[in-house]
Amino acid sequence: MAASLGFGGSNAVDKANATATANTAQPAYTGPTQMLDEHLLTPATISSIEVHGATNTRRSLLDHVFQPVVEDSAHAGTTLGQVLEHIGVATKKLARFDIFKEEGFGVFLSEAARPESAPPSDRTELDISIRVKEKSRLVFSAGTDFGNTEGSAYTNAVARNIFGGAETLSVNASTGTRTRSAYNATFSTPINGNPDLRLAVEALRSATQKPWASHEEQLTGANLRLAWLAENSDSHALAYSTVWRQLTGLAATASPTVRADAGDSLKSSLTHTFTRDRRDNPMLPQSGYLLRTISELAGWGPLNGDVSFAKTEVEASGALPVTIPGLAAKSGVSVGGGLRLGVLYPLPSGYSLTGAAQPSRINDRFQLGGPTDVRGFKIGGLGPHDGADSVGGDVYAAGSVNALVPLPRLGPESPLRLQLFANAGRLVALNNKGKGKETGEGLAMDSATVFRGVKSAVSELTNGLPSLAAGVGLVYAHPVARFELNFSLPLVLRRGEEGRKGLQVGVGINFL
Amino acid sequence: MASMPSVVPTWRTIQIPRPLQQLFDHFPLRTYDASALPERSQHLTSSDLPTLYTLLRLANFDFRILPSTNHASPTGSLPFLLPPRTSPTTSPLPIPASNLLTYALQHSSNPPTTTRDLDPDLPPRSQAYLSLITLSLRNAWLYALYLDPSHSALLQQLYTRPSSSSRGVQATLLYQLRRAAAEQIATSAGGKTVSTAAASSADAIDEEAVYNSAGDALDALASLLSESETGWAFGVERPGMFDAALFSYTHLMMQYMSGDEAADGTRALGVMVREAGNGELARHRDRMLDAAWPRWGDSKRIGREA
């Protein structure tokens, strides 16, 4: 019955409506729908709102959420239905602060008692009482985690609602198969009482092994991040970060390229990330699409630091369900595709646009290949290789097509799928072969050289077929991560690139 | 995580069935030329440390010096040598400092010398003299460069500023370098530390003892040279390992620590070198410059006469 109220609220709000109708039901019973419709159209206004149970939450935070509700309901002609809708929106907003238990919400409406002397009103004045349960303010947890091609164990401490304004401090320590150690502490707070606009400051320190390029990278840094969620659920984040990177722990066989980049560098950069995720299930998309862009500006102008470049990456992927003729139910068969593009453009440091620019370092260049992007290749298997080391490239393009078919007998509801895929990629490094040779003046390139270099690297993307692999496999979509076991063969390769013939296991959250 | 190279070795040892192997052999269907390396790879790395540098010069070995860091070295210490590439994408293995001499002699473009010349048989007492260089002179050099505030500018110019433009990073590196140097001196000087606690700063080191020990060592080395008829240590015909080791300290001390900076009354190492004995060490340094850097030696002399 509550659902027919039609404001698509959470369970809590639906429950509230049930309560509301129970508390205020006076008219003669004329059938549920008619009664409700009439009821929802009665003029109403809010006399008071009380929030119970938010003992550690600042009044100002609640004001930010409920002030608009009271104001919107003050207009003449506001109906009970509208009041309920506003309350529903507000409680959902409250839930997004992540400081209240989801099952603890309760909303009670009652007609305000009116003093005898007050003039008769044609509006129902409501007293609204909202019950919430705060989540525990201090939480310790430990467990295991799956990232892209990496497993790790972590311990985490979260202090919630520290100052009563939904501020969160999260301290995390983890160790993993590739990230030998990582520590970070993040303090985040909503701005202006808006759960969809958050400011976060983070300090981090980590050491990550990069066996595909024979070294370990140690990071020490901090970042300031403003993230917001648009009305249409697109998410944006703007971050400033400064990181001291140290390339160390080189293998005995490390190549000259890696040795040349060993040591210290400071990256100071601004990054914007945009995500539009309209997939039905991120681990096993059967319909919908994902669009993501990452744009980074490092070192230029006031940013300073040791590296200077503009870098942008675009990712688009989508899936379409396939209906099988003669089968009314969902077939569980789908076809999908993905495309990723990236460019790194070296910039001069300082405010100049035409000054000399340093070529990119290995820790800024892109890597391509591996079970979660271009399958059928080793991690970092594509692109320029110096000896055994994958040294990365400045421009890349990668694409995949796949078909997912449910396993016989298990059907479309099971998280298992049979996968057929083909994926290809091309990773190219900027260089000025032949030009500017050995001048003894170091590495710097003037802006025309950089432009020519990037242009020729981009055109090199389409020189010949891209490196290509195809195969079949099994996909298991766990809510936490997606697991793939594929059998694949490389069809087209460049010398030095490392394909994988046979079986490959992929674990990750973001697949091409 | 079987996709990770570090985990797969057990798989590799499994014999692949023959039909599968035959299938695998057909792939990839097409192989293009290798992708070109990034711009930075075209400029390779190598670095200098004076003794070995001098030896390479003495061996007439053709090489280029580039700035590098300890992170880049196969052993964690500098210098190391990177042989030239034989093809655009094969990566040569670096030659650590300990094998440098052997490598240089094998690959010298114009081998006028033999191992005998560069590393001649020296009398047993040479070990004692060598330890004067590698302990006393080294400690004094480390102290002066890293811990003596009068050489902060030099230290920053040589080590921290090339590493990063960030002041924060430079300050951290400076702190780490100083700490490491203090530990080095404390461990190699043995009982000469004032406190028994782990030395992590200049305070824990007896500056007076370090410089006195260096002064004694310089006097002893000067008198060793005064005994020699050829002008090279132990009377050998051509300068070798020992001379290069001595030169590597005396030259840098005279070059960078000649007293202009030391205002607080401590003796400058460069002045100590010049005044040791009857100036034998300064003359030895000039002879070495002539032998290994003929051109630089000339310009120096001209500069001094003018």
Side-chain angles (χ1 to χ4, degrees), chain A residues 46 50 53 64 123 136 183 219 225 228 246 255 264 287 331 388 417 444 461 464 482 487 512:
Chain A
I46 294 172
E50 286 176 13
H64 275 297
R123 297 211 273 179
S136 40
Y183 305 91
L219 303 178
R225 185 182 152 91
W228 66 98
Q246 197 171 61
S255 65
D264 308 275
S287 74
S331 68
R417 290 287 185 280
L461 287 178
R482 169 164 158 160
F487 178 92
L512 178 69

Short mmCIF file of all heavy atoms in Angstrom, two decimals, chain A residues 46 50 53 64 123 136 183 219 225 228 246 255 264 287 331 388 417 444 461 464 482 487 512:
data_model
loop_
_atom_site.label_atom_id
_atom_site.label_comp_id
_atom_site.label_asym_id
_atom_site.label_seq_id
_atom_site.Cartn_x
_atom_site.Cartn_y
_atom_site.Cartn_z
N ILE A 46 3.90 22.22 7.57
CA ILE A 46 4.65 21.63 8.66
C ILE A 46 4.66 22.58 9.84
O ILE A 46 4.98 23.76 9.71
CB ILE A 46 6.10 21.31 8.22
CG1 ILE A 46 6.07 20.23 7.13
CG2 ILE A 46 6.93 20.86 9.40
CD1 ILE A 46 7.41 19.98 6.50
N GLU A 50 10.94 17.18 14.34
CA GLU A 50 11.85 16.78 15.40
C GLU A 50 12.66 15.61 14.91
O GLU A 50 12.14 14.70 14.27
CB GLU A 50 11.06 16.34 16.65
CG GLU A 50 10.46 17.49 17.41
CD GLU A 50 9.61 17.00 18.56
OE1 GLU A 50 9.70 15.79 18.91
OE2 GLU A 50 8.84 17.81 19.11
N GLY A 53 17.39 10.88 18.19
CA GLY A 53 18.44 9.86 18.07
C GLY A 53 19.74 10.37 17.47
O GLY A 53 20.72 9.66 17.44
N HIS A 64 20.55 22.22 7.63
CA HIS A 64 20.82 22.27 6.20
C HIS A 64 19.90 21.35 5.42
O HIS A 64 19.51 21.62 4.30
CB HIS A 64 22.27 21.89 5.91
CG HIS A 64 23.22 23.02 6.04
ND1 HIS A 64 23.15 24.13 5.23
CD2 HIS A 64 24.27 23.23 6.87
CE1 HIS A 64 24.11 24.97 5.57
NE2 HIS A 64 24.80 24.45 6.57
N ARG A 123 -5.77 24.31 6.53
CA ARG A 123 -4.64 23.41 6.28
C ARG A 123 -4.39 22.51 7.48
O ARG A 123 -4.60 22.90 8.63
CB ARG A 123 -3.38 24.22 6.04
CG ARG A 123 -3.46 25.10 4.81
CD ARG A 123 -2.13 25.28 4.20
NE ARG A 123 -1.38 26.39 4.76
CZ ARG A 123 -0.15 26.68 4.35
NH1 ARG A 123 0.43 25.94 3.42
NH2 ARG A 123 0.49 27.70 4.87
N SER A 136 27.93 3.47 14.76
CA SER A 136 28.96 3.64 15.79
C SER A 136 30.03 4.58 15.25
O SER A 136 30.36 4.59 14.06
CB SER A 136 29.56 2.30 16.20
OG SER A 136 29.72 1.49 15.09
N TYR A 183 50.01 3.04 3.58
CA TYR A 183 49.37 3.68 4.72
C TYR A 183 48.68 4.92 4.20
O TYR A 183 49.27 5.65 3.41
CB TYR A 183 50.40 4.11 5.76
CG TYR A 183 51.28 2.99 6.22
CD1 TYR A 183 52.48 2.73 5.58
CD2 TYR A 183 50.88 2.16 7.26
CE1 TYR A 183 53.29 1.68 5.97
CE2 TYR A 183 51.67 1.11 7.66
CZ TYR A 183 52.88 0.87 7.01
OH TYR A 183 53.66 -0.18 7.40
N LEU A 219 55.93 5.98 -2.67
CA LEU A 219 55.23 7.25 -2.76
C LEU A 219 55.03 7.83 -1.37
O LEU A 219 54.70 7.11 -0.44
CB LEU A 219 53.85 7.06 -3.41
CG LEU A 219 53.79 6.44 -4.79
CD1 LEU A 219 52.34 6.29 -5.23
CD2 LEU A 219 54.55 7.29 -5.79
N ARG A 225 40.91 16.99 -2.18
CA ARG A 225 40.00 16.51 -3.20
C ARG A 225 38.59 17.01 -2.94
O ARG A 225 38.08 16.93 -1.82
CB ARG A 225 40.04 14.98 -3.10
CG ARG A 225 39.29 14.21 -4.10
CD ARG A 225 39.48 12.74 -3.72
NE ARG A 225 38.34 11.98 -4.15
CZ ARG A 225 38.28 11.38 -5.35
NH1 ARG A 225 39.32 11.41 -6.14
NH2 ARG A 225 37.21 10.75 -5.70
N TRP A 228 31.93 15.85 -6.11
CA TRP A 228 30.51 16.13 -6.08
C TRP A 228 29.75 15.21 -7.00
O TRP A 228 30.30 14.66 -7.96
CB TRP A 228 30.22 17.60 -6.39
CG TRP A 228 30.55 18.07 -7.76
CD1 TRP A 228 29.69 18.20 -8.80
CD2 TRP A 228 31.82 18.53 -8.25
NE1 TRP A 228 30.34 18.71 -9.91
CE2 TRP A 228 31.65 18.92 -9.58
CE3 TRP A 228 33.10 18.64 -7.66
CZ2 TRP A 228 32.70 19.41 -10.36
CZ3 TRP A 228 34.13 19.13 -8.44
CH2 TRP A 228 33.92 19.50 -9.77
N GLN A 246 59.76 7.84 -5.41
CA GLN A 246 61.13 7.34 -5.42
C GLN A 246 61.15 5.98 -6.10
O GLN A 246 60.49 5.06 -5.65
CB GLN A 246 61.63 7.24 -3.98
CG GLN A 246 63.13 7.14 -3.88
CD GLN A 246 63.61 7.27 -2.45
OE1 GLN A 246 63.26 6.45 -1.60
NE2 GLN A 246 64.41 8.27 -2.17
N SER A 255 66.76 -2.47 -16.85
CA SER A 255 67.28 -1.91 -18.10
C SER A 255 67.78 -0.49 -17.90
O SER A 255 67.45 0.17 -16.91
CB SER A 255 66.15 -1.89 -19.12
OG SER A 255 65.17 -0.99 -18.68
N ASP A 264 64.59 10.19 -7.34
CA ASP A 264 63.49 10.97 -6.79
C ASP A 264 62.85 11.90 -7.81
O ASP A 264 63.51 12.40 -8.70
CB ASP A 264 64.01 11.83 -5.65
CG ASP A 264 64.78 11.02 -4.64
OD1 ASP A 264 64.14 10.47 -3.76
OD2 ASP A 264 66.01 10.89 -4.77
N SER A 287 23.68 -4.48 -19.59
CA SER A 287 23.16 -3.37 -20.38
C SER A 287 23.64 -2.07 -19.73
O SER A 287 24.06 -2.06 -18.58
CB SER A 287 21.63 -3.40 -20.42
OG SER A 287 21.11 -3.00 -19.18
N SER A 331 17.43 -13.55 -21.49
CA SER A 331 18.28 -14.64 -21.92
C SER A 331 19.58 -14.69 -21.14
O SER A 331 20.20 -15.74 -21.01
CB SER A 331 18.59 -14.49 -23.41
OG SER A 331 19.42 -13.35 -23.61
N ALA A 388 63.88 -6.78 -20.93
CA ALA A 388 62.66 -7.41 -20.41
C ALA A 388 61.72 -6.39 -19.79
O ALA A 388 60.62 -6.72 -19.39
CB ALA A 388 63.04 -8.46 -19.38
N ARG A 417 29.40 -16.65 -16.22
CA ARG A 417 29.19 -16.49 -17.65
C ARG A 417 30.35 -17.11 -18.41
O ARG A 417 31.49 -17.13 -17.93
CB ARG A 417 29.13 -15.02 -18.04
CG ARG A 417 27.90 -14.26 -17.58
CD ARG A 417 26.67 -14.65 -18.39
NE ARG A 417 25.52 -13.85 -18.03
CZ ARG A 417 24.75 -14.06 -16.97
NH1 ARG A 417 25.01 -15.06 -16.14
NH2 ARG A 417 23.71 -13.28 -16.72
N ALA A 444 66.04 18.04 -22.83
CA ALA A 444 64.93 18.94 -23.10
C ALA A 444 64.60 19.05 -24.59
O ALA A 444 65.49 19.00 -25.44
CB ALA A 444 65.26 20.31 -22.53
N LEU A 461 49.92 4.99 -33.89
CA LEU A 461 48.90 4.10 -33.35
C LEU A 461 48.26 3.26 -34.44
O LEU A 461 47.89 2.11 -34.22
CB LEU A 461 47.79 4.90 -32.65
CG LEU A 461 48.09 5.54 -31.30
CD1 LEU A 461 46.88 6.31 -30.82
CD2 LEU A 461 48.48 4.49 -30.28
N GLY A 464 49.89 -0.19 -39.07
CA GLY A 464 49.76 -1.65 -38.97
C GLY A 464 48.62 -2.02 -38.06
O GLY A 464 47.93 -1.16 -37.50
N ARG A 482 35.48 -9.06 -9.79
CA ARG A 482 35.17 -9.95 -10.88
C ARG A 482 36.36 -10.86 -11.11
O ARG A 482 37.50 -10.40 -11.11
CB ARG A 482 34.89 -9.11 -12.13
CG ARG A 482 34.78 -9.87 -13.42
CD ARG A 482 34.14 -8.99 -14.46
NE ARG A 482 34.45 -9.40 -15.81
CZ ARG A 482 33.71 -9.05 -16.86
NH1 ARG A 482 32.66 -8.25 -16.69
NH2 ARG A 482 34.04 -9.45 -18.05
N PHE A 487 41.35 -18.52 -21.60
CA PHE A 487 42.34 -19.16 -22.46
C PHE A 487 42.46 -18.28 -23.69
O PHE A 487 41.48 -18.03 -24.38
CB PHE A 487 41.88 -20.57 -22.86
CG PHE A 487 42.85 -21.26 -23.77
CD1 PHE A 487 43.85 -22.08 -23.25
CD2 PHE A 487 42.79 -21.06 -25.14
CE1 PHE A 487 44.76 -22.69 -24.10
CE2 PHE A 487 43.70 -21.68 -25.99
CZ PHE A 487 44.69 -22.50 -25.46
N LEU A 512 38.41 -3.99 -19.06
CA LEU A 512 38.19 -3.35 -20.35
C LEU A 512 37.05 -4.07 -21.06
O LEU A 512 37.04 -5.29 -21.10
CB LEU A 512 39.47 -3.44 -21.20
CG LEU A 512 39.38 -2.85 -22.60
CD1 LEU A 512 39.25 -1.34 -22.54
CD2 LEU A 512 40.62 -3.23 -23.40
#
